[in-house]
Amino acid sequence: MATLLVTGGTGTLGRAVVGRLLDDGHDVRSLSRRLPAGPPAPGLHPYAVDLRDGTGLEEAVAGVDTVVHCASTPSGGDEEAAGHLLDAARVAGVKHLVYISIVGVGGIPLGYYRTKRAVERMVEHSGIDWTILRTTQFHDLLLRVVKTGARSPLLPYPTGLRFQPIEVREVAARMAELALGAPAGRVPDMGGPQVLDVRDLIRLTLRYGGRRRLTVPLWLPGRTMAGFRAGEHLAPGHAVGERTYEEFLKERAG
């Protein structure tokens, strides 16, 4: 059995990847900033490491065959964290690094997207064999965005936008599959089963959340919004996801 390290192992995606690998009987190391409460599951070895300074990273990576890099934060520091991880992985002789990215990072000039593309380049030029998967937005992310906006009686939204939400557990299954396979470079994008207009996405979220809000359409200028309106964050030709956003909401509500 391979020894795998999952960064961001307590996050939305990382936790699902860890669970999938454990279910398959693999030896898994989960790296996060803090150790989770309670005893670890059988086969799981948690490590508390802040990738932004890298303290304790050498021990966590030693003897690892494959690193699945899920740790990320929109607040900044991803490039520095990736630098520490790649340095440690090279020293440890890691054979394969799998990185999760986002559809649209090559064309939408959003700061977080630019950072994700920069980390892609770091991985590509790291000297470690690699695999990169880009996906559309997770169901969980879009739910959080709408819920945040719905705190006010007025819910403004940008017009002309569409989204292709995907189930995080399906992405985790794909990431686990890639981690257990040979390095494959940039693999085909992974998108959810439906492309939804932002108005429909908001309507569904409010309905299953039992909320009523007055929605206010806004036209937002700029290159970033133009990229979203053009659909550069969508992958309609790779709509391989199965679980719809409405099915996700039904499960959460029920």
Side-chain angles (χ1 to χ4, degrees):
M1 287 295 178
T3 299
L4 304 103
L5 170 69
V6 180
T7 72
T10 56
T12 301
L13 175 60
R15 184 170 59 248
V17 173
V18 166
R20 183 69 181 224
L21 292 170
L22 288 175
D23 288 344
D24 290 341
H26 295 283
D27 186 53
V28 183
R29 302 182 189 183
S30 172
L31 189 150
S32 56
R33 293 182 187 176
R34 300 176 185 84
L35 291 176
L44 178 63
H45 310 279
Y47 287 80
V49 175
D50 188 337
L51 284 174
R52 293 172 299 181
D53 65 35
T55 303
L57 188 53
E58 292 182 2
E59 179 184 356
V61 177
V64 166
D65 301 298
T66 299
V67 171
V68 184
H69 188 26
C70 299
S72 183
T73 173
S75 62
D78 278 11
E79 291 179 66
E80 183 179 16
H84 290 139
L85 178 64
L86 293 170
D87 287 344
R90 277 190 293 266
V91 171
V94 169
K95 301 179 180 67
H96 186 192
L97 189 139
V98 182
Y99 181 57
I100 182 69
S101 191
I102 308 170
V103 174
V105 296
I108 297 177
L110 184 68
Y112 182 55
Y113 279 32
R114 284 175 168 170
T115 297
K116 294 290 285 187
R117 181 64 186 115
V119 175
E120 284 186 356
R121 293 191 185 98
M122 293 173 69
V123 171
E124 292 164 1
H125 296 95
S126 65
I128 302 169
D129 290 336
W130 54 273
T131 301
I132 292 175
L133 171 67
R134 292 180 181 177
T135 75
T136 54
Q137 288 73 28
F138 297 160
H139 291 150
D140 308 70
L141 171 64
L142 294 175
L143 173 62
R144 287 199 304 270
V145 170
V146 177
K147 287 177 67 174
T148 298
R151 291 173 182 169
S152 169
L154 294 178
L155 200 169
Y157 69 91
T159 58
L161 268 62
R162 296 161 295 150
F163 293 94
Q164 191 179 351
I166 190 167
E167 169 59 42
V168 69
R169 288 176 294 191
E170 294 174 5
V171 175
R174 177 63 171 145
M175 290 289 285
E177 178 186 34
L178 293 170
L180 297 172
R186 169 87 185 279
V187 297
D189 295 342
M190 187 175 183
Q194 295 176 318
V195 176
L196 296 175
D197 186 276
V198 65
R199 294 169 298 182
D200 294 327
L201 190 143
I202 291 172
R203 176 181 54 80
L204 286 169
T205 306
L206 293 177
R207 186 210 305 171
Y208 284 99
R211 300 186 182 190
R212 298 175 67 89
R213 294 292 186 270
L214 179 62
T215 57
V216 182
L218 298 174
W219 178 267
L220 299 180
R223 291 174 55 208
T224 294
M225 294 309 300
F228 279 114
R229 282 192 293 269
E232 294 189 27
H233 61 304
L234 305 176
H238 299 280
V240 297
E242 297 181 0
R243 193 163 181 245
T244 67
Y245 185 64
E246 185 169 8
E247 290 169 341
F248 162 77
L249 292 174
K250 283 182 180 178
E251 180 181 355
R252 293 289 293 260

